[in-house]
Amino acid sequence: MMSVPSRPLPLRQAAPAGSPTVSPVVELNVGGEFYTTTLGTLRKLPGSKLAEMFSLSAKIFTDAKGRFFIDRPGTYFGAILDYLRCGQLPTQHLPEVYREAQFYEIKPLVKLLEDTPQIFGEQVARKQFLLRVPGYSENLELMVRLARAEAVAARCSSVLVCAVRTEEDAAHCAESLRVLEADKRLVVKFGPWKAAPVIRDLLDSVRMDIEAQGYQVEYDYCSKKTFLPRLVACEYFYTFLFKWW
C-alpha cells in the first residue's frame, strides 16, 4: 500500500562525484503511475509549474519507496515527458493531454495542442460558441436535475427544451411558452444567441455535453399533438430522452 509522509521533503541538488549524492535521475509516482526521468527534463521549461515543483527551493512528498509523488492523474504524464524530452507531440488522447499540459503550465505544448484540429474545434469553435449562449451551463444542470427527478421507477425520463436562435424565433414561440407555463409544464429554454451556429448545432452540443457526464441521451422534435397551441412554433421545441436502463 502506498503511503505519503505527513511532511514534504526538500529537493536537493546533486552533489559532486565522490560524495553522497541524490541522482539527477529521479523516479516519480504520478497518481499511482510510475515514471523515470531526470531533473533536467522536469526543469526544462523555467517558469512552468512542473519546473517549479522540482526547483531547489521546492518541497515535495515521496511515497513509501522514496519516489517523488505528484497527486495528479498519471495516465497521460508520459506524453508530457515525451514532449519535454524530444519535442514529441502526442497523437492520441489529445483532450486529456491538453488538460494536463495546462495544469503543469507547459505553455509551448498547450499552444501546439491548441493548433490541432481536435482541440482547435473544441476550444476555439464550439466552446466559444457556447459562451455566447446565455445560461448554457446552468441550463445543462437544470436538464439533468429534471431528468433525475422523473427517474424513479422509470426506464426513461424526458425533458422539454425550447431552442431559439434569434429574437424573432423567440417571438414566434412566446405564446407556446405562456401556454406551457399555465399548464405547469417545465421547459428549459436556450437562446437567443449571437453566433453563426444554428439550432441543430446547439442541440448537438447539449447532447454531447450531457453524454460527457455519463448519461445516455437522445433528442427529437416534440410531437405536434402533445401540447403546442401554435404549429408555427413546433420547430423550436424538442424532447431530450434520458435512458436509465
Side-chain angles (χ1 to χ4, degrees), residues 88-113:
Q88 179 177 327
L89 189 66
T91 58
Q92 296 180 324
H93 309 293
L94 297 190
E96 293 81 4
V97 177
Y98 178 70
R99 180 189 62 220
E100 294 306 298
Q102 287 181 309
F103 174 79
Y104 292 111
E105 299 177 359
I106 311 299
K107 293 180 181 179
L109 178 56
V110 169
K111 180 62 171 64
L112 288 171
L113 290 171

Side-chain angles (χ1 to χ4, degrees), residues 23-233:
S23 173
V25 175
V26 294
E27 293 187 356
L28 305 175
N29 177 344
V30 185
E33 300 282 341
F34 306 127
Y35 296 93
T36 301
T37 187
T38 67
L39 288 178
T41 296
L42 297 170
R43 297 169 176 168
K44 188 170 184 178
L45 292 178
S48 68
K49 181 182 292 187
L50 186 61
E52 177 61 28
M53 291 168 66
F54 289 91
S55 66
L56 295 178
S57 60
K59 294 183 179 180
I60 190 167
F61 290 102
T62 59
D63 66 13
K65 299 292 186 180
R67 294 174 290 233
F68 293 111
F69 180 74
I70 302 176
D71 193 13
R72 285 290 293 180
T75 305
Y76 308 106
F77 188 74
I80 302 294
L81 288 181
D82 286 342
Y83 174 76
L84 293 174
R85 287 167 176 152
C86 57
Q88 179 177 327
L89 189 66
T91 58
Q92 296 180 324
H93 309 293
L94 297 190
E96 293 81 4
V97 177
Y98 178 70
R99 180 189 62 220
E100 294 306 298
Q102 287 181 309
F103 174 79
Y104 292 111
E105 299 177 359
I106 311 299
K107 293 180 181 179
L109 178 56
V110 169
K111 180 62 171 64
L112 288 171
L113 290 171
E114 287 178 342
D115 287 339
T116 63
Q118 183 177 0
I119 302 300
F120 180 89
E122 174 66 15
Q123 298 295 325
V124 178
R126 196 177 80 90
K127 286 196 173 179
Q128 288 301 312
F129 156 55
L130 297 178
L131 289 174
R132 291 163 169 77
V133 180
Y136 179 81
S137 297
E138 294 80 359
N139 280 346
L140 285 185
E141 294 176 4
L142 176 58
M143 288 179 66
V144 170
R145 288 201 304 270
L146 292 175
R148 292 173 69 95
E150 294 185 3
V152 178
R155 183 169 186 175
C156 304
S157 53
S158 61
V159 176
L160 188 59
V161 167
C162 175
V164 292
R165 180 186 176 191
T166 66
E167 295 291 348
E168 184 179 359
D169 294 338
H172 285 166
C173 64
E175 179 61 25
S176 297
L177 288 170
R178 283 192 290 268
V179 171
L180 289 168
E181 183 179 2
D183 290 343
K184 301 188 184 306
R185 293 288 303 274
L186 295 175
V187 184
V188 181
K189 180 176 176 290
F190 289 89
W193 59 84
K194 295 181 179 180
V198 298
I199 289 175
R200 183 67 63 173
D201 299 323
L202 181 280
L203 298 173
D204 285 343
S205 286
V206 170
R207 176 182 53 79
M208 290 169 57
D209 288 333
I210 291 177
E211 288 180 341
Q213 298 179 44
Y215 296 97
Q216 184 178 358
V217 65
E218 59 188 38
Y219 72 88
D220 202 351
Y221 284 111
C222 197
S223 172
K224 293 180 180 180
K225 65 181 181 180
T226 302
F227 63 86
L228 293 176
R230 296 178 61 192
L231 295 181
V232 69

